Amino acid sequence: MRTLLIVDGANVVGSVPDGWWRDRRAAAGRLRDRLAPLAAAGVAGLPGPLEVVLVVEGAARGVAPVAGVRIEEARGSGDDLIAELAAEAGRAGRACAVVTSDRGLRDRVALAGATRLGPRTVYAP
């Protein structure tokens, strides 16, 4: 079973000051496009293939999935959805990593057994 890589879209996009605030959906689309090759290639410390899930919320919703990247739209808090996905993976005994710099979320997903990675793992300027 492939390792699940969950990406906190709002947090990762917000880590790069490239004008993302002008069009959050377009910024999420750019992130999605950067994530697509990682599904096969993997990231530092996590060899591919990976199942990549990009969690989006608010104005970033509506981004279409592409080959290699599943999109999960949070109806409420993106952090809550990410924690839920990580907990589901943990209960299933599945390896999981979460990409975020949000300290509170990092603590929550660690309780589910997820590895925690910083935004630059997947999205460097």
Side-chain angles (χ1 to χ4, degrees):
M1 186 176 290
R2 296 178 294 163
T3 297
L4 180 63
L5 181 69
I6 305 168
V7 180
D8 180 351
N11 184 268
V12 173
V13 163
S15 72
V16 178
D18 64 355
W20 58 264
W21 52 89
R22 290 189 290 269
D23 188 341
R24 293 170 193 248
R25 185 178 302 147
R30 289 190 299 275
L31 173 57
R32 175 209 54 206
D33 294 344
R34 285 184 178 218
L35 294 173
L38 302 180
V43 298
L46 292 176
L50 304 171
E51 180 182 352
V52 179
V53 177
L54 174 59
V55 175
V56 296
E57 60 187 292
R61 288 184 296 198
V63 173
V66 296
V69 182
R70 185 175 96 214
I71 304 294
E72 289 285 339
E73 295 184 344
R75 293 183 183 182
S77 163
D79 289 2
D80 289 347
L81 178 55
I82 292 165
E84 179 183 320
L85 292 170
E88 287 173 6
R91 286 191 296 272
R94 184 174 187 191
C96 176
V98 174
V99 180
T100 188
S101 63
D102 181 307
R103 288 182 185 172
L105 180 57
R106 290 171 68 91
D107 291 344
R108 289 172 69 187
V109 301
L111 292 174
T115 300
R116 298 160 298 167
L117 303 171
R120 296 205 187 277
T121 304
V122 297
Y123 196 56

